Amino acid sequence: MPKESVKESGYRKNFSLIVTFIGLISALFILSLFLAFNFSKKKIEGDFVSAKTNVLEESIKPYNDFFLNKLPEISYYNGYLDSTTAAKFVDTILLKYPFIKRVVFFDAEVRNSRYEENGLNVGNFSAGMKSVYQFGTYISADSVKIFGENSIPSNTTLENFNELALKLYTFVHKLDTTRVPTQEDLFSNFSNIKPNRIDYFNIPRFEDLKVYKQMIGTKLPTEPVYQQDMLSFELDPMKIKIKNNRPLLYQSVRIEPVTYDPLETSSEYVTGEITLGGPFSAYKLYFISAKSFIKKEIFSYFFPIAALILIFYGLLLLVAFLIYRNLNINHKMFKLQYDFITNLTHEFKTPVSVIKIAGNNIKSAASISEREQKLYGKILDEEADKLNGLMNKLLAFTQIENKAIKLNEDRVDITEFIESTIDVHQLKHPDFKLTYEVTELTHFTTDPVLLGSLFDNLLENAYKYSPPDKKQMHITARLIKDKIVLRFKDAGIGIPASEINNIFKKFYRVQNQYNQAGSVGLGLAFCKELVNFMKGEISVRSVVGKGTEFKIVLPYIQ
């Protein structure tokens, strides 16, 4: 298989691998998006179940603050609360905790050896009420005191008091006086939690509790009396302020009885519930969201993940593109180098063959006439010049490209320079019609050798790529705003628009009938390097079938 065919086959194989790679990562991209969406869906659905606890905790924070911090403050008064002090204390509670709708204050005492008609009596231990007051936002002033001297307490009031008093007695009866009870034991035995109600006795000192224990089985000579205040808090769970800290997850959160069961259920909604607990255990937080509402949260969670996947996919595509581009460039470079070697070999082979033939003729001839001697001498000289010119062009191109030469600065008469260049080319090509025009420019400083190479290459190109009846070029030189503008206009075959951007590339050849004999593809690339080295610019305009114009702009140095 020819070398180029092998390379082409390898290129196609590599291209197939790139296409396969893109197909694979595209499939993985779609699969990743699918998995990411399912993960997001399960994550949000899981959050709908688990985040209810966070909403509950945030919503009952005021209750926890009341139960753990405010309620124990009653014990600071050591049982010496009166109606006025209790009213002030309750006012602060009602303002801070709106879920407390009513507070009943029991001004009570614990005695030894006295029967309490309105209280608890066990042996020599008695706990009774002296007076009872109620406080609340909607309680009028004339109904604050609900029990006192010469009045009978309601059954509910007496029952609430006796229930907690019995709990007190049971605790004292079992009390181990050799060990100080924990705060948790004290708090749990001096409070009573009921649905929508909390009853609380102030907690006595440990020394007082020891005396309480003595009272149970003994009649003490001093018959001590201890103040033992009790407050009963009636709660309204509907006044708990719900703090929905996941508003994008829970469309609606409300408090409902535990027995609440919506009459209408729909597959379009997602619901959940969690019990409030404690005195609110008969109620629950009820969560409801439309599936379309949940879907928005799913997508808001999914989109950042999808964006990361898309970025990663884009990077992989970029890598694939860069690999493909490099393969394509390598393929083009191979083709250019292959063409260059082929054409360079041809360019060298032709003059070498001619030189060899001329040498063999001279060698094998018995005698050479003067005419033959001149002919062979001319042939050898011309072919040697071709080889030398080609080698010089390659060497100069490399030196300029690597900045291995220095720009010489000589003062040049532009008119003389153009005329001498035209004379040389007309002598070489008598059928080449050359004209010129110089405007507002006489002398300037430049490198005449490099400028001559630039002129020679453009003129040779114009002659080579022009039909026999249109081998002509017009050169203009003008000084425009401190810039030297040179134009080379021919009437040749022109350059297709699709090739314009490639003609200054090394080893690139425009495919046409004039290139069938081969071309190294360095002429215009050499011109480009020359102009760049001289700190100028080169551009081209061309119309197929009508001709081409090269424009060169160089800095003007006097």
Side-chain angles (χ1 to χ4, degrees):
M1 184 182 290
K3 184 177 180 182
E4 187 174 4
S5 298
V6 172
K7 188 72 178 180
E8 182 72 19
S9 176
Y11 169 74
R12 288 175 180 172
K13 183 178 179 181
N14 290 332
F15 179 77
S16 299
L17 288 175
I18 292 295
V19 172
T20 303
F21 174 72
I22 293 175
L24 179 61
I25 64 172
S26 298
L28 289 175
F29 171 68
I30 295 171
L31 178 62
S32 299
L33 288 179
F34 175 76
L35 293 176
F37 181 78
N38 279 348
F39 170 77
S40 302
K41 186 172 181 289
K42 290 181 179 179
K43 173 69 170 60
I44 298 305
E45 289 175 350
D47 283 354
F48 190 91
V49 175
S50 61
K52 294 184 294 185
T53 306
N54 295 333
V55 177
L56 175 64
E57 289 175 353
E58 286 295 320
S59 299
I60 63 171
K61 264 185 180 180
Y63 166 76
N64 289 335
D65 177 66
F66 161 73
F67 188 77
L68 298 175
N69 301 316
K70 199 66 179 178
L71 198 60
E73 288 184 13
I74 298 171
S75 297
Y76 298 165
Y77 294 96
N78 294 315
Y80 288 100
L81 276 173
D82 57 22
S83 60
T84 303
T85 310
K88 292 180 179 179
F89 177 74
V90 170
D91 283 344
T92 61
I93 290 176
L94 293 174
L95 287 173
K96 191 173 182 181
Y97 308 106
F99 54 84
I100 299 175
K101 66 177 181 179
R102 189 170 79 107
V103 180
V104 180
F105 168 59
F106 296 81
D107 187 5
E109 58 186 12
V110 173
R111 287 178 173 269
N112 181 229
S113 290
R114 177 180 172 180
Y115 178 77
E116 289 288 351
E117 183 179 356
N118 298 310
L120 177 71
N121 298 278
V122 182
N124 295 313
F125 180 88
S126 62
M129 301 177 292
K130 293 189 296 182
S131 55
V132 181
Y133 300 86
Q134 64 174 348
F135 306 99
T137 306
Y138 301 105
I139 295 175
S140 59
D142 59 352
S143 61
V144 170
K145 190 171 183 179
I146 57 176
F147 168 71
E149 193 175 349
N150 300 323
S151 63
I152 300 173
S154 66
N155 290 336
T156 302
T157 302
L158 184 58
E159 183 181 341
N160 291 347
F161 178 81
N162 286 342
E163 190 174 353
L164 190 55
L166 180 60
K167 195 173 183 180
L168 168 63
Y169 166 79
T170 303
F171 172 73
V172 173
H173 181 66
K174 295 179 180 180
L175 179 66
D176 181 2
T177 57
T178 63
R179 181 179 63 86
V180 178
T182 64
Q183 289 297 318
E184 185 178 350
D185 286 339
L186 290 171
F187 195 81
S188 62
N189 284 282
F190 280 78
S191 62
N192 194 25
I193 299 177
K194 292 289 184 178
N196 301 334
R197 193 181 90 242
I198 297 176
D199 300 329
Y200 185 81
F201 261 140
N202 69 281
I203 301 174
R205 297 173 301 171
F206 184 52
E207 290 75 12
D208 295 339
L209 289 174
K210 290 180 180 179
V211 177
Y212 283 9
K213 188 171 181 66
Q214 292 176 8
M215 288 181 180
I216 293 175
T218 308
K219 182 178 180 181
L220 301 178
T222 57
E223 296 186 1
V225 178
Y226 290 88
Q227 300 300 315
Q228 189 68 48
D229 296 330
M230 170 183 159
L231 277 83
S232 181
F233 301 88
E234 293 184 15
L235 311 176
D236 183 1
M238 295 301 179
K239 293 294 180 68
I240 294 175
K241 186 177 180 181
I242 297 173
K243 295 182 180 178
N244 184 5
N245 53 9
R246 295 295 298 273
L248 299 179
L249 186 62
Y250 301 119
Q251 193 172 11
S252 173
V253 183
R254 60 181 186 264
I255 297 173
E256 299 287 354
V258 172
T259 57
Y260 172 77
D261 188 16
L263 296 177
E264 295 181 3
T265 57
S266 172
S267 59
E268 296 299 318
Y269 291 92
V270 181
T271 61
E273 57 186 46
I274 185 169
T275 306
L276 290 173
F280 307 119
S281 56
Y283 292 85
K284 64 184 177 183
L285 287 181
Y286 182 74
F287 302 81
I288 183 169
S289 297
K291 286 187 177 179
S292 58
F293 186 82
I294 295 291
K295 191 172 289 185
K296 291 179 182 178
E297 181 68 359
I298 292 173
F299 277 110
S300 67
Y301 190 88
F302 166 71
F303 282 143
I305 301 175
L308 290 175
I309 295 174
L310 183 60
I311 291 171
F312 183 68
Y313 175 71
L315 290 175
L316 291 178
L317 283 182
L318 178 62
V319 170
F321 169 74
L322 292 176
I323 294 173
Y324 169 74
R325 188 188 68 171
N326 288 339
L327 288 174
N328 197 31
I329 290 173
N330 289 338
H331 174 69
K332 289 181 178 178
M333 286 300 299
F334 170 79
K335 190 174 185 306
L336 288 174
Q337 290 171 2
Y338 180 82
D339 290 345
F340 169 71
I341 292 172
T342 302
N343 294 326
L344 188 63
T345 302
H346 176 80
E347 290 291 325
F348 273 101
K349 188 176 181 180
T350 300
V352 168
S353 298
V354 173
I355 291 172
K356 186 173 179 61
I357 292 170
N360 286 334
N361 289 341
I362 295 172
K363 182 180 178 180
S364 61
S367 62
I368 301 176
S369 64
E370 183 179 351
R371 187 180 68 79
E372 290 176 331
Q373 184 179 5
K374 289 181 179 180
L375 175 63
Y376 287 135
K378 181 182 178 183
I379 291 172
L380 291 173
D381 185 60
E382 288 178 350
E383 297 305 319
D385 284 343
K386 286 182 181 179
L387 287 174
N388 187 54
L390 186 58
M391 293 173 62
N392 286 339
K393 183 180 290 186
L394 288 170
L395 179 62
F397 196 109
T398 304
Q399 289 177 331
I400 291 173
E401 203 173 35
N402 295 306
K403 295 182 171 54
I405 61 174
K406 183 179 179 182
L407 185 68
N408 294 320
E409 295 183 351
D410 293 330
R411 189 170 174 79
V412 174
D413 185 317
I414 187 62
T415 302
E416 289 184 2
F417 181 86
I418 293 175
E419 287 179 349
S420 63
T421 301
I422 289 175
D423 290 342
V424 170
H425 282 272
Q426 283 186 330
L427 182 63
K428 188 176 181 181
H429 305 294
D431 58 336
F432 196 9
K433 183 179 179 181
L434 295 169
T435 58
Y436 77 94
E437 178 186 352
V438 178
T439 306
E440 297 182 4
L441 180 64
T442 56
H443 297 80
F444 69 100
T445 302
T446 188
D447 188 320
V449 176
L450 297 184
L451 187 64
S453 296
L454 185 61
F455 270 68
D456 289 342
N457 274 279
L458 292 175
L459 265 62
E460 286 294 334
N461 256 26
Y463 184 81
K464 181 178 180 180
Y465 296 106
S466 295
D469 58 337
K470 293 184 178 180
K471 293 186 180 296
Q472 61 188 50
M473 173 172 276
H474 181 68
I475 304 170
T476 61
R478 294 184 181 183
L479 180 62
I480 303 174
K481 296 182 179 179
D482 295 330
K483 296 286 183 181
I484 298 172
V485 180
L486 303 173
R487 295 180 185 271
F488 300 80
K489 187 174 183 180
D490 62 39
I493 61 174
I495 303 170
S498 60
E499 304 280 5
I500 289 291
N501 294 328
N502 298 317
I503 60 173
F504 293 113
K505 294 179 181 178
K506 287 186 293 184
F507 312 131
Y508 188 85
R509 298 182 307 132
V510 178
Q511 297 300 323
N512 54 55
Q513 70 270 27
Y514 294 90
N515 262 333
Q516 297 301 316
S519 170
V520 180
L522 284 177
L524 292 179
F526 183 55
C527 292
K528 176 77 171 177
E529 291 295 328
L530 280 175
V531 173
N532 289 343
F533 187 69
M534 297 168 73
K535 299 178 180 179
E537 297 177 358
I538 184 171
S539 59
V540 60
R541 291 189 305 173
S542 184
V543 179
V544 176
K546 292 187 177 181
T548 303
E549 181 183 64
F550 288 91
K551 176 184 175 183
I552 298 172
V553 179
L554 298 173
Y556 174 64
I557 303 174
Q558 290 185 347

